[in-house]
Amino acid sequence: MSEKVEPPLAVLFVCLGNICRSPMAEGVFRKAALDAGLECRVDSVGTAGYHIGESPDPRAITTARNHGVDISELKGRQLAPSDFEEFTHIFALDTANLAGIRSRVPRGAESQIALLLDSVPGREGQTVADPYYGDEEDFERVWRDISVAVEHVIEQLKAEMPD
């Protein structure tokens, strides 16, 4: 019996509650990686435990569906110490959650941790706005910001892969 081999890349997206931005980022990335032929594991979490076990916000699900991506089966979970061992790349959607991630890094962890929009030239240090208290247009704007960033991340990850 052979042991299942995990892909060499594992990407984690992190926001506060794991019901809006990070599940949308997971969906965008999953589709973009598949389209690019990039084999990797992808997941999303929140730094807070507000929505553990819950589905994404209905507006996030609708926005993703409007772009041909189904995130309806995702369930909220909170960032865990094991995530720093299991994921090669961890992307925060905003600076507050980036600080929260960095404050939890266990000694010896080797994950690359970054702000998602740092991958976009000219957007370094910017955050993906939280659409939770907004409307459908806010969710659409977040989708666009994430999509642009994911395109750059995919190119960077492909460049890191050995031939």
Side-chain angles (χ1 to χ4, degrees), residues 14 22 29 52 70 91 96 119 128:
V14 185
S22 58
F29 187 87
I52 294 172
D70 183 8
F91 291 100
S119 63
V128 174

Side-chain angles (χ1 to χ4, degrees), residues 110-124:
E110 296 183 12
S111 299
Q112 294 182 34
I113 301 167
L115 190 62
L116 181 61
L117 286 176
D118 280 352
S119 63
V120 180
R123 303 279 316 260
E124 298 90 346

Side-chain angles (χ1 to χ4, degrees), residues 5 9-10 21 30 39 63 67 69 73 75 102-103 115 122 125 133 137 140 144 155 157-158:
V5 177
L9 289 174
R21 295 171 291 172
R30 189 178 308 278
E39 185 180 347
T63 301
H67 290 275
V69 176
E73 298 298 319
K75 298 294 179 203
R102 288 188 170 149
S103 72
L115 190 62
Y133 292 105
E137 180 52 37
E140 187 62 37
R144 287 191 304 267
E155 289 306 313
L157 293 176
K158 284 172 57 176

Side-chain angles (χ1 to χ4, degrees), residues 14-16 21 92-99 115-116 126-128:
V14 185
C15 69
L16 182 61
R21 295 171 291 172
L93 280 287
D94 61 69
T95 54
N97 285 298
L98 180 62
L115 190 62
L116 181 61
Q126 294 181 15
T127 65
V128 174

Side-chain angles (χ1 to χ4, degrees), residues 50-122:
Y50 304 138
H51 302 285
I52 294 172
E54 294 180 22
S55 297
D57 185 292
R59 297 165 296 174
I61 292 171
T62 298
T63 301
R65 186 175 296 128
N66 289 343
H67 290 275
V69 176
D70 183 8
I71 63 169
S72 64
E73 298 298 319
L74 300 180
K75 298 294 179 203
R77 72 177 186 88
Q78 189 172 11
L79 182 67
S82 60
D83 291 324
F84 294 97
E85 297 170 15
E86 296 176 22
F87 291 91
T88 57
H89 297 75
I90 299 175
F91 291 100
L93 280 287
D94 61 69
T95 54
N97 285 298
L98 180 62
I101 294 164
R102 288 188 170 149
S103 72
R104 298 174 191 188
V105 176
R107 181 170 284 162
E110 296 183 12
S111 299
Q112 294 182 34
I113 301 167
L115 190 62
L116 181 61
L117 286 176
D118 280 352
S119 63
V120 180

Side-chain angles (χ1 to χ4, degrees), residues 112-156:
Q112 294 182 34
I113 301 167
L115 190 62
L116 181 61
L117 286 176
D118 280 352
S119 63
V120 180
R123 303 279 316 260
E124 298 90 346
Q126 294 181 15
T127 65
V128 174
D130 188 347
Y132 186 75
Y133 292 105
D135 60 19
E136 287 77 14
E137 180 52 37
D138 294 302
F139 279 81
E140 187 62 37
R141 189 175 306 112
V142 164
W143 184 272
R144 287 191 304 267
D145 282 348
I146 290 169
S147 295
V148 168
V150 164
E151 286 179 31
H152 288 275
V153 168
I154 292 286
E155 289 306 313
Q156 291 168 3

